[in-house]
Amino acid sequence: MVELVSPAERYKISFLAAVREAQAAASGLGDTLTWNVDELEADFGKLLNDVRRYEPGKELPEGFVHSEYRWLVDGSHYLGRVSLRYSLNERLREFGGHIGYEIRPSARRQGNGTLALKLALERARELGIERVLVTCDADNVGSRRVIEANNGELEGEFQLECYDRPIRRYWIAL
Ligand SMILES: CC(C)(COP(=O)(O)OP(=O)(O)OC[C@H]1O[C@@H](n2cnc3c(N)ncnc32)[C@H](O)[C@@H]1OP(=O)(O)O)[C@@H](O)C(=O)NCCC(=O)NCCS
């Protein structure tokens, strides 16, 4: 069963394989699987702590909001991740929004991106968020489709001063 879970030790082997895969694919657009594999292998606990560092109860650095990481898994097989910001600040309202997601290269174009956002929206609803902002690069066709398949309503396409290409903002009412 494919589900969203809290990051945990039991996904280590598959997660490391996903990082290696993403680095070998160097697949560009939006990829954030940039961890150092040797460091992960040596101390996976550090990663697990790092991905929890903005959760409620933790002290936030200036300019950060509370957020959580969830991993999309099938059994112990890592498929991808979502980041869910509990609120927006000025920067996230402009670009970034509430939810980000990334699917490992070998699991793309099989509906996993669409499912990851759907499950993240269910989680956002549980957290009491009523309206979710999702943003993407205007030329990220896969991400646009993922958002549109989840009933994203386009606010518009924008050129930001701090970013070199146009972005799109979508809203999803929960
Ligand atoms: C964007 C991303 C999450 C899409 O994940 P995915 O698992 O391939 O998504 P899905 O399989 O649910 O595909 C959704 C739709 O987009 C289409 N699609 C996916 N990738 C595509 C691509 N590169 N080019 C064109 N269409 C694409 C799929 O064919 C599917 O089309 P359909 O609506 O006609 O069925 C994935 O490519 C990824 O992780 N990219 C790197 C990180 C990233 O860009 N994250 C988003 C930041 S906003």
Side-chain angles (χ1 to χ4, degrees):
M1 186 180 78
V2 179
E3 56 187 336
L4 272 190
V5 299
S6 291
E9 184 74 27
R10 68 179 287 230
Y11 309 108
K12 177 176 175 179
I13 293 172
S14 184
F15 183 83
L16 287 179
V19 172
R20 285 198 190 90
E21 183 183 293
Q23 292 179 356
S27 51
L29 264 188
D31 259 337
T32 58
L33 280 175
T34 51
W35 287 281
N36 179 301
V37 181
D38 295 333
E39 286 174 17
L40 286 178
E41 203 146 31
D43 190 358
F44 200 63
K46 180 177 181 308
L47 171 87
L48 296 176
N49 278 335
D50 282 354
V51 297
R52 295 204 179 103
R53 67 192 181 281
Y54 305 130
E55 290 189 358
K58 304 272 162 73
E59 205 175 308
L60 293 175
E62 180 75 27
F64 280 71
V65 300
H66 284 301
S67 64
E68 65 183 32
Y69 264 81
R70 287 291 177 270
W71 285 351
L72 187 76
V73 298
D74 187 356
S76 58
H77 185 59
Y78 175 90
L79 295 171
R81 59 101 191 150
V82 307
S83 323
L84 173 53
R85 269 79 65 175
Y86 291 13
S87 59
L88 299 177
N89 56 22
E90 217 173 292
R91 183 175 55 88
L92 291 166
R93 170 65 182 86
E94 194 170 38
F95 186 46
H98 288 95
I99 296 177
Y101 40 84
E102 179 172 23
I103 301 298
R104 69 187 288 177
S106 63
R108 290 181 190 168
R109 306 198 79 155
Q110 299 157 40
N112 287 313
T114 303
L115 179 60
L117 180 57
K118 177 175 177 278
L119 295 173
L121 291 169
E122 285 172 11
R123 175 73 183 137
R125 191 180 297 120
E126 262 173 38
L127 290 166
I129 302 171
E130 290 173 356
R131 217 171 150 238
V132 163
L133 176 66
V134 191
T135 72
C136 66
D137 288 0
D139 63 1
N140 191 339
V141 179
S143 191
R144 279 169 56 166
R145 291 235 178 117
V146 163
I147 301 167
E148 286 161 13
N150 279 286
N151 302 318
E153 275 187 42
L154 184 66
E155 176 185 308
E157 205 164 297
F158 305 90
Q159 183 61 60
L160 309 178
E161 272 176 30
C162 57
Y163 196 63
D164 61 352
R165 41 195 207 257
I167 61 125
R168 286 185 155 212
R169 286 190 203 120
Y170 291 88
W171 289 94
I172 302 170
L174 299 179

